[in-house]
Coordinates of all heavy atoms in Angstrom, one line a residue:
A640 N 101.1 15.3 171.6 CA 102.1 14.6 172.3 C 102.3 13.2 171.8 O 101.4 12.7 171.1 CB 101.7 14.5 173.8
M641 N 103.4 12.7 171.9 CA 103.6 11.3 171.5 C 104.3 10.5 172.7 O 105.1 11.1 173.5 CB 104.4 11.1 170.2 CG 105.8 11.4 170.3 SD 106.7 11.0 168.7 CE 106.7 9.2 168.8
T642 N 104.1 9.2 172.7 CA 104.7 8.5 173.8 C 105.8 7.5 173.2 O 105.6 6.9 172.2 CB 103.7 7.6 174.5 OG1 102.6 8.4 174.9 CG2 104.3 6.8 175.7
L643 N 107.0 7.6 173.8 CA 108.0 6.7 173.4 C 108.2 5.7 174.5 O 108.5 6.0 175.6 CB 109.3 7.5 173.2 CG 110.5 7.1 172.4 CD1 110.0 6.8 171.0 CD2 111.6 8.1 172.4
V644 N 108.0 4.4 174.2 CA 108.2 3.4 175.2 C 109.6 2.9 175.3 O 110.2 2.5 174.3 CB 107.2 2.2 175.0 CG1 107.3 1.2 176.1 CG2 105.8 2.7 174.8
L645 N 110.2 3.0 176.5 CA 111.6 2.6 176.6 C 111.8 1.4 177.5 O 110.9 1.1 178.3 CB 112.4 3.8 177.3 CG 112.3 5.1 176.7 CD1 113.0 6.2 177.5 CD2 112.8 5.1 175.2
E646 N 112.9 0.6 177.3 CA 113.2 -0.5 178.1 C 114.6 -0.4 178.6 O 115.4 0.3 178.0 CB 113.0 -1.8 177.3 CG 114.0 -1.9 176.2 CD 113.8 -3.2 175.3 OE1 112.8 -3.9 175.5 OE2 114.6 -3.4 174.4
R647 N 114.9 -1.0 179.7 CA 116.3 -1.0 180.3 C 117.3 -1.6 179.3 O 117.0 -2.6 178.7 CB 116.3 -1.7 181.6 CG 115.8 -1.0 182.8 CD 116.5 0.3 183.1 NE 117.9 0.2 183.4 CZ 118.4 0.1 184.6 NH1 117.6 0.2 185.6 NH2 119.7 0.0 184.7
T648 N 118.4 -1.0 179.3 CA 119.6 -1.7 178.6 C 120.2 -2.5 179.7 O 120.0 -2.4 180.9 CB 120.6 -0.6 178.1 OG1 121.0 0.1 179.2 CG2 120.0 0.3 177.1
E649 N 121.1 -3.4 179.2 CA 121.8 -4.2 180.2 C 122.9 -3.4 180.8 O 123.6 -2.7 180.1 CB 122.4 -5.5 179.5 CG 122.8 -6.5 180.5 CD 123.3 -7.8 179.8 OE1 122.9 -8.0 178.7 OE2 124.1 -8.5 180.4
D650 N 123.2 -3.5 182.1 CA 124.2 -2.8 182.7 C 125.6 -3.5 182.5 O 125.8 -4.6 183.0 CB 124.0 -2.7 184.2 CG 124.9 -1.6 184.9 OD1 126.1 -1.7 184.7 OD2 124.4 -0.7 185.6
I651 N 126.4 -2.9 181.6 CA 127.6 -3.6 181.2 C 128.6 -3.8 182.4 O 129.2 -4.8 182.6 CB 128.3 -2.8 180.1 CG1 127.4 -2.5 179.0 CG2 129.6 -3.5 179.6 CD1 127.9 -1.5 178.0
L652 N 128.7 -2.7 183.2 CA 129.6 -2.7 184.3 C 129.2 -3.8 185.3 O 130.0 -4.6 185.8 CB 129.5 -1.3 185.0 CG 130.4 -1.0 186.2 CD1 131.8 -1.2 185.8 CD2 130.1 0.4 186.6
A653 N 127.9 -3.8 185.7 CA 127.4 -4.9 186.6 C 127.6 -6.3 186.0 O 128.0 -7.2 186.8 CB 126.0 -4.6 187.0
T654 N 127.4 -6.4 184.7 CA 127.6 -7.7 184.1 C 129.1 -8.2 184.2 O 129.3 -9.3 184.6 CB 127.2 -7.6 182.6 OG1 125.9 -7.1 182.5 CG2 127.3 -9.0 181.9
V655 N 130.0 -7.3 183.9 CA 131.4 -7.6 184.0 C 131.8 -7.9 185.5 O 132.5 -8.9 185.8 CB 132.3 -6.5 183.5 CG1 133.8 -6.8 183.8 CG2 132.1 -6.4 182.0
S656 N 131.3 -7.1 186.4 CA 131.6 -7.3 187.8 C 131.0 -8.6 188.3 O 131.6 -9.2 189.2 CB 131.0 -6.1 188.5 OG 131.0 -6.3 189.9
G657 N 130.0 -9.1 187.7 CA 129.4 -10.4 188.1 C 130.0 -11.6 187.5 O 129.6 -12.7 187.7
L658 N 130.9 -11.4 186.5 CA 131.5 -12.6 185.9 C 132.3 -13.4 186.9 O 132.9 -12.9 187.8 CB 132.5 -12.1 184.8 CG 131.9 -11.4 183.5 CD1 133.0 -10.9 182.6 CD2 131.0 -12.4 182.8
P659 N 132.2 -14.7 186.7 CA 132.9 -15.6 187.7 C 134.4 -15.4 187.7 O 135.1 -15.5 188.7 CB 132.6 -17.0 187.2 CG 131.9 -16.9 185.9 CD 131.5 -15.5 185.7
R660 N 135.0 -15.0 186.6 CA 136.4 -14.8 186.5 C 136.5 -13.4 185.9 O 136.3 -13.1 184.7 CB 137.0 -15.8 185.5 CG 138.5 -15.8 185.4 CD 138.9 -17.0 184.5 NE 140.3 -17.0 184.4 CZ 141.0 -16.4 183.4 NH1 140.3 -15.7 182.5 NH2 142.3 -16.5 183.3
R661 N 136.8 -12.4 186.8 CA 136.7 -11.0 186.3 C 137.9 -10.2 186.6 O 138.7 -10.5 187.5 CB 135.5 -10.4 186.9 CG 135.6 -10.1 188.4 CD 134.6 -9.0 188.6 NE 134.3 -8.7 190.0 CZ 135.0 -7.9 190.8 NH1 136.1 -7.4 190.3 NH2 134.6 -7.6 192.0
P662 N 138.1 -9.1 185.8 CA 139.2 -8.2 186.1 C 138.9 -7.3 187.3 O 137.9 -7.4 187.9 CB 139.2 -7.3 184.8 CG 137.9 -7.4 184.2 CD 137.2 -8.7 184.7
F663 N 139.9 -6.5 187.6 CA 139.7 -5.4 188.6 C 138.7 -4.4 187.9 O 139.0 -3.9 186.8 CB 141.0 -4.7 188.9 CG 141.0 -3.7 190.0 CD1 141.2 -4.1 191.3 CD2 140.8 -2.4 189.7 CE1 141.2 -3.2 192.3 CE2 140.8 -1.4 190.7 CZ 141.0 -1.8 192.0
V664 N 137.6 -4.1 188.6 CA 136.5 -3.4 187.9 C 136.4 -2.0 188.5 O 136.1 -1.8 189.7 CB 135.2 -4.2 188.1 CG1 134.1 -3.4 187.4 CG2 135.3 -5.5 187.4
V665 N 136.5 -1.0 187.6 CA 136.3 0.4 188.0 C 135.2 1.0 187.3 O 135.1 1.0 186.1 CB 137.6 1.2 187.7 CG1 137.5 2.7 188.2 CG2 138.8 0.5 188.3
G666 N 134.2 1.6 188.1 CA 133.1 2.3 187.4 C 133.2 3.8 187.6 O 133.9 4.3 188.4
F667 N 132.4 4.5 186.9 CA 132.3 6.0 187.0 C 130.9 6.3 187.5 O 129.9 5.6 187.2 CB 132.6 6.6 185.7 CG 134.1 7.0 185.5 CD1 135.0 6.0 185.3 CD2 134.5 8.3 185.6 CE1 136.3 6.3 185.2 CE2 135.8 8.7 185.5 CZ 136.8 7.7 185.3
A668 N 130.8 7.4 188.2 CA 129.5 7.9 188.6 C 129.5 9.4 188.3 O 130.2 10.2 189.0 CB 129.3 7.6 190.1
A669 N 128.8 9.8 187.3 CA 128.7 11.2 187.0 C 127.4 11.7 187.6 O 126.3 11.2 187.2 CB 128.6 11.4 185.4
E670 N 127.4 12.6 188.5 CA 126.3 12.9 189.3 C 126.0 14.4 189.3 O 126.9 15.3 189.2 CB 126.4 12.5 190.7 CG 126.7 11.0 190.9 CD 125.6 10.1 190.5 OE1 124.4 10.5 190.4 OE2 125.9 8.9 190.3
T671 N 124.7 14.8 189.4 CA 124.4 16.2 189.6 C 123.9 16.5 191.0 O 123.7 17.6 191.4 CB 123.2 16.6 188.7 OG1 122.1 15.7 188.9 CG2 123.6 16.5 187.2
E672 N 123.8 15.4 191.9 CA 123.5 15.6 193.3 C 124.0 14.4 194.1 O 124.2 13.3 193.5 CB 122.0 15.8 193.5 CG 121.2 14.7 192.9 CD 119.7 14.8 193.0 OE1 119.2 15.8 193.7 OE2 119.0 14.0 192.5
N673 N 124.1 14.6 195.4 CA 124.4 13.5 196.3 C 125.6 12.6 195.8 O 125.5 11.4 195.7 CB 123.2 12.6 196.6 CG 122.1 13.3 197.1 OD1 122.3 14.3 197.8 ND2 120.9 12.9 196.7
L674 N 126.7 13.3 195.4 CA 127.8 12.6 194.8 C 128.3 11.4 195.5 O 128.3 10.2 195.0 CB 128.9 13.6 194.6 CG 130.1 13.1 193.7 CD1 129.7 13.0 192.3 CD2 131.3 14.0 193.9
E675 N 128.6 11.6 196.8 CA 129.2 10.5 197.6 C 128.2 9.3 197.8 O 128.6 8.2 197.6 CB 129.7 11.1 198.9 CG 130.3 10.0 199.8 CD 131.2 10.5 200.9 OE1 131.4 11.7 200.9 OE2 131.7 9.7 201.7
T676 N 127.0 9.7 198.2 CA 126.0 8.6 198.5 C 125.8 7.8 197.2 O 125.8 6.5 197.2 CB 124.7 9.2 198.9 OG1 124.9 10.3 199.7 CG2 123.7 8.2 199.5
N677 N 125.6 8.5 196.1 CA 125.3 7.7 194.8 C 126.5 6.9 194.4 O 126.4 5.8 193.9 CB 125.0 8.7 193.7 CG 123.6 9.3 193.9 OD1 122.7 8.6 194.4 ND2 123.4 10.5 193.4
A678 N 127.8 7.5 194.6 CA 129.0 6.7 194.3 C 129.1 5.5 195.1 O 129.4 4.4 194.6 CB 130.2 7.6 194.4
L679 N 128.9 5.6 196.4 CA 129.0 4.5 197.3 C 128.0 3.4 197.0 O 128.2 2.2 197.1 CB 129.0 4.9 198.8 CG 130.3 5.7 199.2 CD1 130.1 6.3 200.6 CD2 131.5 4.9 199.1
D680 N 126.8 3.9 196.7 CA 125.7 2.9 196.3 C 126.1 2.1 195.1 O 125.9 0.9 195.0 CB 124.4 3.7 195.9 CG 123.7 4.1 197.2 OD1 124.1 3.7 198.3 OD2 122.7 4.8 197.0
K681 N 126.8 2.8 194.1 CA 127.2 2.1 192.9 C 128.3 1.1 193.2 O 128.4 0.0 192.7 CB 127.7 3.1 191.9 CG 126.9 3.1 190.7 CD 127.1 4.4 189.9 CE 125.9 5.2 190.0 NZ 125.9 6.4 189.2
L682 N 129.3 1.5 194.1 CA 130.4 0.6 194.5 C 129.8 -0.7 195.0 O 130.3 -1.8 194.7 CB 131.2 1.4 195.6 CG 132.5 0.7 196.0 CD1 133.5 0.7 194.9 CD2 133.1 1.3 197.3
Q683 N 128.8 -0.6 195.9 CA 128.3 -1.8 196.6 C 127.3 -2.5 195.6 O 127.4 -3.7 195.4 CB 127.6 -1.4 197.8 CG 128.5 -1.0 198.9 CD 127.9 -1.1 200.3 OE1 126.6 -1.0 200.4 NE2 128.7 -1.3 201.3
G684 N 126.4 -1.7 195.1 CA 125.3 -2.3 194.3 C 125.8 -3.1 193.1 O 125.3 -4.1 192.7
K685 N 126.9 -2.5 192.4 CA 127.4 -3.2 191.2 C 128.6 -4.1 191.6 O 129.2 -4.6 190.6 CB 127.8 -2.1 190.2 CG 126.6 -1.3 189.7 CD 126.9 -0.5 188.4 CE 125.8 0.5 188.2 NZ 125.8 1.0 186.8
G686 N 129.0 -4.1 192.8 CA 130.1 -5.0 193.2 C 131.4 -4.6 192.6 O 132.1 -5.4 192.1
L687 N 131.7 -3.3 192.7 CA 132.9 -2.8 192.0 C 134.1 -2.8 192.9 O 134.0 -2.9 194.2 CB 132.7 -1.3 191.6 CG 131.4 -1.1 190.8 CD1 131.3 0.4 190.4 CD2 131.4 -1.9 189.5
D688 N 135.3 -2.8 192.4 CA 136.5 -2.6 193.2 C 136.8 -1.1 193.5 O 137.4 -0.8 194.4 CB 137.7 -3.2 192.4 CG 137.5 -4.7 192.2 OD1 137.5 -5.4 193.3 OD2 137.4 -5.2 191.1
M689 N 136.3 -0.3 192.6 CA 136.5 1.1 192.8 C 135.5 1.9 192.0 O 135.0 1.5 190.9 CB 137.9 1.5 192.2 CG 138.4 2.8 192.5 SD 140.2 3.0 191.9 CE 141.1 2.1 193.2
V690 N 135.1 3.1 192.5 CA 134.2 3.9 191.8 C 134.8 5.4 191.7 O 135.4 5.8 192.7 CB 132.8 3.9 192.3 CG1 132.7 4.5 193.7 CG2 131.8 4.5 191.4
V691 N 134.7 6.0 190.6 CA 135.2 7.3 190.4 C 134.1 8.3 190.1 O 133.4 8.1 189.2 CB 136.2 7.3 189.1 CG1 136.8 8.7 189.0 CG2 137.2 6.2 189.2
A692 N 133.9 9.2 191.1 CA 132.7 10.1 191.0 C 133.1 11.5 190.5 O 134.2 12.0 190.9 CB 132.0 10.1 192.3

Side-chain angles (χ1 to χ4, degrees):
M641 73 174 283
T642 305
L643 200 56
V644 184
L645 304 178
E646 64 184 7
R647 279 302 299 266
T648 57
E649 193 176 336
D650 193 310
I651 305 167
L652 182 58
T654 305
V655 171
S656 169
L658 292 173
R660 185 171 180 271
R661 70 153 167 90
F663 187 87
V664 178
V665 182
F667 268 71
E670 304 292 343
T671 55
E672 58 181 354
N673 304 327
L674 187 74
E675 179 161 355
T676 319
N677 287 332
L679 291 174
D680 280 354
K681 245 162 253 185
L682 183 71
Q683 285 198 337
K685 300 195 190 195
L687 311 179
D688 296 299
M689 190 175 282
V690 69
V691 184

